Protein backbone atom coordinates (compact mmCIF):
# COMPACT_ATOMS: atom_id res chain seq x y z
CA UNK A 1 0.00 0.00 0.00
CA UNK A 2 1.39 3.43 -0.91
CA UNK A 3 1.84 5.68 2.11
CA UNK A 4 2.30 9.35 2.84
CA UNK A 5 2.51 11.61 5.89
CA UNK A 6 1.13 15.07 6.50
CA UNK A 7 1.99 17.42 9.37
CA UNK A 8 -0.51 20.18 10.20
CA UNK A 9 0.89 22.75 12.67
CA UNK A 10 -1.50 24.20 15.27
CA UNK A 11 -1.52 26.40 18.35
CA UNK A 12 -4.35 24.61 20.18
CA UNK A 13 -4.00 22.66 23.38
CA UNK A 14 -4.47 18.90 23.00
CA UNK A 15 -8.02 18.93 24.40
CA UNK A 16 -9.17 21.62 21.95
CA UNK A 17 -7.54 19.82 19.01
CA UNK A 18 -9.25 16.58 20.03
CA UNK A 19 -12.62 18.32 20.38
CA UNK A 20 -12.29 19.69 16.84
CA UNK A 21 -11.36 16.26 15.47
CA UNK A 22 -14.33 14.70 17.25
CA UNK A 23 -16.57 17.33 15.66
CA UNK A 24 -15.16 16.44 12.22
CA UNK A 25 -15.58 12.71 12.88
CA UNK A 26 -19.31 12.81 12.11
CA UNK A 27 -18.67 14.49 8.76
CA UNK A 28 -15.99 11.94 7.84
CA UNK A 29 -18.34 9.10 8.61
CA UNK A 30 -21.34 10.63 6.80
CA UNK A 31 -19.60 12.11 3.74
CA UNK A 32 -16.91 9.52 3.10
CA UNK A 33 -18.23 6.34 4.67
CA UNK A 34 -15.23 6.27 6.99
CA UNK A 35 -15.11 4.43 10.28
CA UNK A 36 -13.45 6.50 12.99
CA UNK A 37 -12.31 5.34 16.40
CA UNK A 38 -9.93 6.50 19.10
CA UNK A 39 -6.98 4.15 19.56
CA UNK A 40 -5.79 6.22 22.53
CA UNK A 41 -6.40 9.61 24.10
CA UNK A 42 -4.58 11.42 21.27
CA UNK A 43 -4.75 9.03 18.31
CA UNK A 44 -7.74 8.73 15.99
CA UNK A 45 -7.92 5.86 13.49
CA UNK A 46 -9.80 6.44 10.23
CA UNK A 47 -10.54 3.68 7.77
CA UNK A 48 -12.67 3.16 4.71
CA UNK A 49 -12.36 0.99 1.66
CA UNK A 50 -8.96 1.73 0.12
CA UNK A 51 -7.70 4.07 2.86
CA UNK A 52 -6.38 3.71 6.39
CA UNK A 53 -5.17 6.71 8.35
CA UNK A 54 -4.00 7.62 11.80
CA UNK A 55 -4.19 11.16 13.17
CA UNK A 56 -1.96 11.83 16.18
CA UNK A 57 -2.43 14.99 18.22
CA UNK A 58 0.76 16.54 19.57
CA UNK A 59 1.27 19.85 21.37
CA UNK A 60 2.14 21.63 18.13
CA UNK A 61 0.76 19.58 15.22
CA UNK A 62 -1.59 16.96 13.88
CA UNK A 63 0.51 14.12 12.45
CA UNK A 64 -1.34 12.16 9.79
CA UNK A 65 -0.14 8.82 8.41
CA UNK A 66 -2.11 7.57 5.42
CA UNK A 67 -2.01 4.23 3.58
CA UNK A 68 -3.83 3.96 0.26
CA UNK A 69 -5.10 0.93 -1.57
CA UNK A 70 -4.10 0.40 -5.19
CA UNK A 71 -7.31 1.89 -6.61
CA UNK A 72 -6.80 5.18 -4.75
CA UNK A 73 -3.07 5.44 -5.53
CA UNK A 74 -3.60 7.60 -8.66
CA UNK A 75 -5.50 10.06 -6.44
CA UNK A 76 -2.68 10.39 -3.89
CA UNK A 77 -1.93 14.05 -4.74
CA UNK A 78 -5.52 15.31 -4.48
CA UNK A 79 -6.12 13.20 -1.35
CA UNK A 80 -3.01 14.66 0.32
CA UNK A 81 -4.06 18.20 -0.68
CA UNK A 82 -7.60 17.63 0.60
CA UNK A 83 -6.42 16.30 3.95
CA UNK A 84 -3.96 19.17 4.32
CA UNK A 85 -6.46 21.91 3.49
CA UNK A 86 -9.33 20.48 5.56
CA UNK A 87 -7.23 19.85 8.66
CA UNK A 88 -5.53 23.24 8.36
CA UNK A 89 -8.95 24.88 8.23
CA UNK A 90 -10.11 22.73 11.17
CA UNK A 91 -7.30 23.82 13.49
CA UNK A 92 -7.26 27.46 12.39
CA UNK A 93 -10.95 28.26 12.00
CA UNK A 94 -12.68 25.58 14.02
Amino acid sequence: MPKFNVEIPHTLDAAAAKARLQKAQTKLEADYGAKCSWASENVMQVSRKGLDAQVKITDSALLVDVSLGLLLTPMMGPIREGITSRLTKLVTEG
Side-chain angles (χ1 to χ4, degrees):
M1 291 181 95
K3 298 179 181 191
F4 65 88
N5 302 308
V6 176
E7 183 173 341
I8 310 296
H10 69 77
T11 57
L12 305 169
D13 62 41
K18 182 175 182 176
R20 290 188 185 191
L21 276 176
Q22 286 174 318
K23 189 175 171 183
Q25 183 175 341
T26 304
K27 185 168 178 63
L28 280 169
E29 292 171 339
D31 292 355
Y32 299 102
K35 180 181 175 191
C36 302
S37 62
W38 289 89
S40 69
E41 184 65 26
N42 292 327
V43 178
M44 183 171 79
Q45 301 281 10
V46 180
S47 62
R48 61 158 290 198
K49 187 173 183 174
L51 182 145
D52 290 305
Q54 176 178 291
V55 182
K56 181 178 181 185
I57 303 167
T58 70
D59 291 337
S60 61
L62 298 179
L63 306 176
V64 186
D65 297 320
V66 179
S67 297
L68 297 176
L70 292 177
L71 292 177
L72 289 180
T73 300
M75 298 297 295
M76 185 183 295
I79 291 170
R80 182 193 317 247
E81 290 170 17
I83 289 170
T84 301
S85 67
R86 287 188 177 105
L87 287 179
T88 299
K89 184 175 180 179
L90 183 76
V91 296
T92 58
E93 299 175 13

